[in-house]
Structures are given as structure tokens and as C-alpha cells.
Amino acid sequence: MKALISVDMEGVSGIVHSSETNPERYDYQRGRELMTADANAVIAGVLDAEPTADVLVADAHGTFRNLLPEQLHRRARLVRGKPRALNMLAGLDEETDAALFVGYHVRAGEGPGVLAHTMNGEILDVRVTGRAPGEDARVTGRSLGEIGLNAAMAGHLGVPVVLLSGDDAACAEATALIPEAVTVPVKEALGMAAAVTLHPEEARDRLRRAAADAVSRRTEIPPLALTGPLDVEVDLASPHTIDLATLVPGVSRAAGARTVAFAAPDYGTAYRLILLLAQLATIRPA
């Protein structure tokens, strides 16, 4: 059994502020330790259910160099650093049996949610029009944040997302997309930088039990698959990013000053182009 655990930071137990998630801020080292401990709890849960599992952990926050390798569970292999294929899902492939999202956050514009954003904060919204399993009609303009974008990429490869942890808003977002998935709310969001949190040790106990349960029920949880052709609209924060985006073949300005649009034959193509737009958003005018 192969499991991929994608670990972000904003939804980790105990974290509420960017000083705990930003390498340039004073409390970042503490955030790294909290992130690594949550990851270890989920790894342990996977191994409780499947003692011989191949567990791959993708560091999925910011620089992708946050998890402390020397403190990570020794049975797991760690994917760190960038750039890399599939971004937050590096290591995922068709042979993966289950994906688990740890420390995730709600999408931009939703909330209250702790440190809510989509990707690097320059993407305001992503709307995807396509088909979903069991639906005869096209799903028009479904807004997706990192939870939905990554879950749909896993689904494109036939992999179910069986578990998600984060604040209550992130868990609600996941449940709306994948009702069968196990969610673990480790804090109740009060705002962008405030929450009622569980004690980290209590959160880790819950994460371990939930991971074991989720992996045991993986065949009962369907992948989130959006089938093509797809139409995608992306709202961007910076006019400069929009200027750069329209240099990409197939990307055009859409209605609204902040929107670009493109068509894709399948979700894998759409996902990679969204990642490119997010990368373009990091470029500043000379």
C-alpha cells in the first residue's frame, strides 16, 4: 500500500499567525516543530492500519523546506525543495492508494479561516467548469482553493483523498467536495489570525486515529474527478501578473479587470497551467 501525505502549515495544530509560518519571522522554528509533529502523527496512523505501507511525505508549504528531516518518522520518505512536478503533491502517481492532506487551510475569500489564501496569496479565485462523477450536466464555475485543486489532481490520477486536517473552515470545504473523506478539525477559526485550538498532543492523538481509520476505508472514498474538456477562470491580484499570464499561449483576458481564462483538454493540463500562473505571480516589475 502506498500513501502520499501532503503537509501544509497554516492548518497545523496550534498555528494561528504568519510569524509561525514565515521563515523570516521570529516564531517560524516553533511552527516547523508543530508541523513535523502533526505529520508524524499521521504517518503513525497510516502504519497502524498498514504496517508495511510505503509512506511518502511531501513538504507542501512555502519553500517546501519546512519539515525537520531529522525529526520526521523514520519509516517515511520526505520530498522537499522546489521547483518540482505536481508541486504540493510531488510523489503522487497512479500507483498511490491514498492521499492525506495535513495542515491545510480554507481558500481565499472564505472564512473565517486561519491564514486563508490560495497558493501564494496572489490568486484570488479559481473557477473550473467541467463534469464531476455522477453529474449529467457540467459543473459551472466551481470555486477551488488548494484543497479542491489538489484533490482534483489526485482524482485525475485515480487517487482518493481520504483525510484532511486543518481548521473547521478547511474541514467544511473538504467535506463539501469529498463527503466521504475523514476530516480532523484541530482548531476553530475566529478570524484570519485567531482560533480556539486543541492542545497539540490532543490534536495528534486525533490525527493518528483518524489516519488509521481513513486508510482502512480508502476503497470506500471515491476520487474527486473533474473530466474535460475544462474551462478555467483565474482571478489574479496584480495587473502585472495578468500582463504576464496573457503571454502564455491559450490564456486570455476575460470579463473583469482581474480575470484570465483558458481551456484545457483535461484536469492534469489545467492544474499545471494554474501552477504556472501562480509562479508568474511571484515575478515583480523590473
Side-chain angles (χ1 to χ4, degrees):
M1 184 264 176
K2 180 179 178 182
L4 177 81
I5 304 174
S6 173
V7 189
D8 205 350
M9 203 169 189
E10 289 86 355
V12 162
S13 61
I15 285 180
V16 298
H17 195 273
S18 60
S19 68
E20 299 161 315
T21 64
N22 187 332
E24 298 179 358
R25 301 294 295 276
Y26 72 96
D27 226 3
Y28 171 65
Q29 184 62 26
R30 175 176 169 274
R32 298 180 76 187
E33 293 171 356
L34 291 168
M35 180 186 186
T36 305
D38 274 15
N40 281 339
V42 174
I43 296 167
V46 171
L47 295 174
D48 288 342
E50 294 282 348
T52 62
D54 177 14
V55 182
L56 194 62
V57 177
D59 190 322
H61 173 73
T63 63
F64 296 169
R65 300 191 310 274
N66 309 277
L67 290 166
L68 298 167
E70 68 277 12
Q71 293 184 19
L72 197 68
H73 197 298
R74 64 185 301 165
R75 278 288 309 282
R77 293 179 295 137
L78 175 61
V79 185
R80 66 194 307 257
K82 63 167 53 172
R84 64 196 196 194
L86 296 189
N87 205 46
M88 296 175 73
L89 300 178
L92 186 80
D93 58 25
E94 293 89 345
E95 302 303 315
T96 306
D97 296 290
L100 301 90
F101 293 172
V102 180
Y104 270 55
H105 53 81
V106 74
R107 65 185 177 87
E110 288 295 303
V114 174
L115 299 171
H117 66 280
T118 298
M119 295 189 176
N120 54 19
E122 294 294 324
I123 292 181
L124 304 177
D125 193 17
V126 179
R127 295 178 296 280
V128 179
T129 298
R131 294 183 184 274
E135 296 175 338
D136 295 329
R138 284 169 68 82
V139 178
T140 302
R142 172 177 281 173
S143 288
L144 300 176
E146 291 171 34
I147 294 171
L149 292 170
N150 290 336
M153 186 62 221
H156 178 69
L157 296 176
V159 181
V161 175
V162 300
L163 176 137
L164 179 134
S165 72
D167 67 16
D168 55 332
C171 290
E173 184 175 321
T175 298
L177 293 166
I178 317 162
E180 301 85 355
V182 177
T183 59
V184 186
V186 298
K187 52 197 169 190
E188 177 187 351
L190 300 178
M192 186 69 172
V196 179
T197 72
L198 295 176
H199 189 284
E201 291 181 3
E202 173 63 24
R204 292 164 203 155
D205 287 346
R206 297 186 187 189
L207 286 168
R208 182 169 183 167
R209 292 193 299 268
D213 177 47
V215 167
S216 297
R217 297 197 294 108
R218 62 187 181 274
T219 59
E220 304 169 17
I221 302 173
L224 175 64
L226 299 178
T227 59
L230 303 169
D231 297 312
V232 182
E233 290 185 336
V234 182
D235 293 344
L236 298 165
S238 169
H240 179 68
T241 306
I242 295 173
D243 293 340
L244 290 173
T246 56
L247 298 176
V248 178
V251 178
S252 61
R253 295 179 187 269
R258 292 180 167 177
T259 305
V260 297
F262 62 89
D266 55 60
Y267 187 79
T269 302
Y271 182 80
R272 289 174 173 83
L273 190 43
I274 293 166
L275 295 181
L276 175 59
L277 295 180
Q279 189 62 35
L280 290 176
T282 66
I283 301 173
R284 294 294 178 261

